[in-house]
C-alpha cells in the first residue's frame, strides 16, 4: 500500500489511516470479484471495477490511476466517468440475467410472495436505471 496520503477532494479531510486501509482492502476485494466476472458469465465485471475504483480513489492515488488507465479495465471505467455510458451488450446481458433470475425464482422455487415482489421491484429499479443510461457517446449538434 502506498504510504502517501491521497489528496482530499475540495472541502474533504484526509480519511484516517484505518479507513484508508479498509478502503484499500475493499478495493482489492472488489477488483478480485471483477476479475472473476471476466470468467464467470453470471458475475458482472464493470460494477465491481467501479466499486474498486471508488475505494482506490479514497485510499491510494497510485492504484486508482493504475486501475483507471489499465489496458483492459480502464476504457469502460473511463467511458462511465466521462459519459455515464453502459454499452448495449452489457445492458442486454444485465436485463436478460435479471429476467432469467425472476423466471427461475417464480417458476422453480417456493419463495414467499413478499420475497418475489421485493426481488421484482429491485430488478425493475435496476433495469430502469441501466436502460436509462446512454449506450453510445452522443455527439451534440450545435448548429
Amino acid at each position: 500500500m502506498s504510504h502517501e496520503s491521497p489528496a482530499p477532494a475540495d472541502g474533504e479531510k484526509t480519511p484516517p489511516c484505518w479507513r484508508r486501509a479498509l478502503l484499500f482492502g475493499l478495493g482489492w476485494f472488489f477488483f478480485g470479484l471483477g476479475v472473476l466476472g471476466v470468467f464467470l458469465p453470471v458475475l458482472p465485471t464493470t460494477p465491481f471495477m467501479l466499486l474498486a475504483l471508488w475505494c482506490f480513489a479514497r485510499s491510494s492515488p497510485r492504484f486508482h490511476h493504475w486501475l483507471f488507465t489499465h489496458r483492459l479495465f480502464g476504457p469502460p471505467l473511463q467511458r462511465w466517468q466521462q459519459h455515464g455510458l453502459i454499452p448495449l451488450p452489457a445492458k442486454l446481458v444485465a436485463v436478460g440475467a435479471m429476467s432469467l433470475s425472476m423466471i427461475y425464482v417464480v417458476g422453480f422455487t417456493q419463495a414467499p410472495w413478499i420475497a418475489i415482489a421485493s426481488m421484482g421491484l429491485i430488478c425493475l429499479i435496476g433495469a430502469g436505471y441501466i436502460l436509462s443510461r446512454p449506450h453510445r457517446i452522443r455527439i451534440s449538434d450545435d448548429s
Side-chain angles (χ1 to χ4, degrees):
M1 182 162 114
S2 174
H3 291 292
E4 62 188 55
S5 295
D10 292 338
E12 272 187 39
K13 295 180 181 177
T14 302
C17 186
W18 67 267
R19 185 170 178 215
R20 283 195 321 266
L22 176 66
L23 288 169
F24 187 75
L26 283 172
W28 281 109
F29 173 73
F30 291 131
F31 177 80
L33 288 176
V35 169
L36 282 175
V38 171
F39 302 103
L40 301 173
V42 296
L43 195 63
T45 298
T46 304
F48 289 119
M49 291 301 173
L50 286 169
L51 287 169
L53 192 68
W54 183 87
C55 290
F56 288 148
R58 283 147 184 79
S59 64
S60 172
R62 175 180 166 205
F63 283 101
H64 176 267
H65 180 265
W66 170 78
L67 182 55
F68 193 71
T69 58
H70 191 276
R71 70 172 183 84
L72 178 64
F73 303 119
L77 298 173
Q78 293 166 18
R79 285 190 297 269
W80 173 259
Q81 181 181 25
Q82 294 166 356
H83 307 286
L85 187 127
I86 301 175
L88 186 58
K91 287 182 176 188
L92 296 174
V93 168
V95 173
M98 284 187 257
S99 301
L100 289 174
S101 296
M102 281 302 303
I103 290 168
Y104 174 78
V105 169
V106 170
F108 300 101
T109 70
Q110 302 280 323
W113 72 269
I114 191 74
I116 293 172
S118 299
M119 181 181 173
L121 180 62
I122 291 168
C123 285
L124 280 174
I125 291 169
Y129 179 76
I130 289 168
L131 294 174
S132 73
R133 307 306 312 156
H135 61 269
R136 62 178 173 233
I137 299 171
R138 296 177 192 208
I139 301 172
S140 62
D141 185 19
D142 294 332
S143 19

